[in-house]
Amino acid sequence: DAGITQSPRHKVTETGTPVTLRCHQTENHRYMYWYRQDPGHGLRLIHYSYGVKDTDKGEVSDGYSVSRSKTEDFLLTLESATSSQTSVYFCAISEETEGVDGYTFGSGTRLTVV
Amino acid sequence: GDSVTQMEGPVTLSEEAFLTINCTYTATGYPSLFWYVQYPGEGLQLLLKATKADDKGSNKGFEATYRKETTSFHLEKGSVQVSDSAVYFCALSEGRGDYKLSFGAGTTVTVRA
């Protein structure tokens, strides 16, 4: 979907190095989310944001931090990458509506930690 | 907390076969329920949704009915095609204002010609 892009699409990094993944949206949506996808676990929420500078932890936040200095950008940082963080990372955005419309997802970032 | 349980895959079917993927949920309130589909190499796309009990979501020949009495939201399609090969995720949102979604583990479906 052209309204949300993730970068990079693929990355290989070494254990112990910091890594930052970027999510960019052009929809002006308030809510943004970072998930990781692993076999047998589905998608698990890492962090989410409900506005500029407003973020909160998800269920698997250890070892990750986020920042949102602008509405359109949500950054995920692995402070010191470990092999257990090898995964596919998805960003998602959501409108603030009375009902729940669900998410729009980015195409994902495949991260390999060696 | 909220959780979603899906039938384990993988599921392999022949074209024109009937597909059912079971999904049950645990939630404290009255969640909205979703099915997402992920085609190879892509992100997830919303397939259908239902926001209250007895609602039926439908899209692309797929259907699912929100059953509060059995806490279920099973996905069905009467005649699958090769192009339906994908991973299907059941998800729920309590709609507490943060719109967080909880996902099932996903079911991989392969349709053979």
Side-chain angles (χ1 to χ4, degrees):
Chain A
D1 191 312
I4 176 171
T5 55
Q6 292 184 232
S7 59
R9 290 295 311 275
H10 302 272
K11 185 169 182 66
V12 180
T13 192
E14 294 186 349
T15 299
T17 60
V19 177
T20 295
L21 310 182
R22 180 179 184 240
C23 178
H24 178 78
Q25 61 146 328
T26 58
E27 305 296 321
N28 201 35
H29 287 184
R30 178 180 175 187
Y31 295 91
M32 300 185 75
Y33 310 83
W34 276 107
Y35 282 84
R36 59 178 289 174
Q37 182 181 19
D38 304 289
H41 292 278
L43 275 77
R44 293 178 291 175
L45 182 65
I46 304 171
H47 282 280
Y48 66 101
S49 170
Y50 45 95
V52 173
K53 292 188 174 27
D54 290 325
T55 65
D56 207 348
K57 296 178 179 180
E59 60 181 302
V60 290
S61 60
D62 287 348
Y64 302 95
S65 62
V66 290
S67 66
R68 191 161 177 209
S69 58
K70 298 184 290 186
T71 298
E72 57 266 36
D73 289 326
F74 192 33
L75 304 180
L76 176 71
T77 297
L78 287 65
E79 293 142 9
S80 177
T82 67
S83 58
S84 65
Q85 294 176 311
T86 292
S87 185
V88 180
Y89 291 85
F90 286 100
C91 177
I93 60 176
S94 176
E95 281 188 306
E96 182 178 12
T97 59
E98 289 188 4
V100 179
D101 263 351
Y103 294 175
T104 300
F105 280 87
S107 299
T109 295
R110 183 173 295 276
L111 177 68
T112 302
V113 183
V114 298
Chain B
D2 305 338
S3 66
V4 175
T5 303
Q6 287 182 237
M7 63 181 284
E8 291 187 17
V11 175
T12 302
L13 303 165
S14 298
E15 247 184 340
E16 300 183 4
F18 184 87
L19 170 67
T20 298
I21 304 175
N22 290 341
C23 171
T24 57
Y25 68 90
T26 302
T28 54
Y30 301 93
S32 294
L33 301 173
F34 305 84
W35 278 101
Y36 281 82
V37 59
Q38 183 181 32
Y39 299 104
E42 299 182 10
L44 280 70
Q45 303 173 25
L46 180 64
L47 181 59
L48 54 83
K49 67 174 183 178
T51 57
K52 60 183 187 296
D54 299 325
D55 269 1
K56 177 184 283 188
S58 61
N59 187 25
K60 300 181 180 180
F62 290 90
E63 293 183 339
T65 301
Y66 189 147
R67 301 286 188 200
K68 187 170 182 296
E69 63 276 12
T70 55
T71 61
S72 65
F73 193 54
H74 305 323
L75 183 68
E76 297 181 336
K77 186 174 185 182
S79 177
V80 294
Q81 305 300 314
V82 172
S83 58
D84 293 323
S85 298
V87 183
Y88 293 83
F89 292 92
C90 187
L92 71 80
S93 175
E94 288 273 26
R96 296 192 187 99
D98 53 28
Y99 304 103
K100 290 187 289 184
L101 284 176
S102 297
F103 288 87
T107 303
T108 300
V109 174
T110 301
V111 181
R112 301 175 303 192

